[in-house]
Every structure is written in C-alpha cells, then in structure tokens.
Amino acid sequence: MLIIRNEQMHVFGTSIQEQFVDCMVAHIATEFTAKHAVWGDAGTREFVRRVILAGDQNGVRSIGAVAVLIELMAQFGERFELSPDKVWARKLLAHPTLPDRPKVEALRDRLASRTGGRRIVMATPPGCAADAAPVLKPVES
C-alpha cells in the first residue's frame, strides 16, 4: 500500500503551483510585454503569487479561473484601479458564494465590454518626464 504523508502532499502541491507560476510568468512576458519589461521575471513572479493569494482569499481557486484573474489584474490592476468599474469588480470578486468560474467570467465580460476589448495601459503624456503621473490609454489591437 502506498502512503503519502502530509509533508509529501505539500511538496507535491507546491511543485504544481510553481509550474503554474512559471507558465503564467511566461504568458505575461508574451501577452503583457510592457509590464513584464518593467517588472522583470522576479517582479512578474511576485505579481502572479499576489494574484493567486488574492484569488484564494476571494474563493477563486481553480487553475482556469486563477489564470483569467491573473490576466484581468495584469490588464486592469491588482485592485482593478484602471477600470471604470473598479468598485463593481471588487464587490463581485469578494462575493462569498458565487463560484469562481462564473465570477471571473462575469468580471472578464464586463471589463472587456467597457473597453471594447482593447487593452488599457499606462502611458506617459508627451513632453513629460518618465516618472510623471501616468494617464490611461487604450492600446489598439
């Protein structure tokens, strides 16, 4: 009979989570190149881990739902601060009984509909220093 101790299960779970983090870092490097260029691999890895933790705290735990949440937070900010629907998004994410997949699908659909599917990025106005207050600017796809 095979016996798996709790310590072994934890290592197994940590290994799978690290593989997922690696995949999401690579995905962000490809799909959100400007943010990855600023954050670097280490910063992107920390971002992904923060989103996984935020997802867990809000009942978003399945791999697919967490991946969508990572993409949404990469695009709209970790507190959805780049979205005009930030208050609504935060409330929906914190909903205690809504399952994770419908929760992130509703977030994705509403946020995408408000931006016409365009990505929102931080941009520095022409003639301003690089550290000047950023402005929101949609990126044409």
Side-chain angles (χ1 to χ4, degrees), residues 9-128:
M9 285 301 291
H10 176 71
V11 169
F12 181 67
T14 302
S15 173
I16 290 173
Q17 183 172 335
E18 284 308 307
Q19 288 176 6
F20 177 73
V21 170
D22 291 343
C23 287
M24 291 310 301
V25 168
H27 177 70
I28 290 172
T30 302
E31 297 297 320
F32 298 91
T33 53
K35 290 194 179 196
H36 183 264
V38 172
W39 296 341
D41 277 342
T44 303
R45 184 169 302 282
E46 286 306 310
F47 165 78
V48 169
R49 287 187 180 130
R50 284 192 309 272
V51 176
I52 291 170
L53 179 61
D56 184 53
Q57 292 170 341
N58 289 284
V60 178
R61 297 183 179 103
S62 68
I63 290 174
V66 172
V68 171
L69 186 61
I70 290 168
E71 286 185 331
L72 290 172
M73 288 187 169
Q75 183 173 355
F76 295 101
E78 288 181 63
R79 299 210 13 89
F80 301 108
E81 63 272 13
L82 301 179
S83 170
D85 292 320
K86 60 185 164 258
V87 173
W88 175 87
R90 290 177 195 148
K91 285 181 183 177
L92 181 65
L93 184 62
H95 193 284
T97 59
L98 190 62
D100 64 355
R101 285 188 186 274
K103 192 182 286 193
V104 296
E105 287 171 4
L107 281 168
R108 182 189 59 214
D109 292 347
R110 171 106 171 233
L111 298 177
S113 72
R114 295 279 290 192
T115 62
R118 296 173 296 176
R119 282 219 175 121
I120 302 296
V121 297
M122 301 300 278
T124 304
C128 293

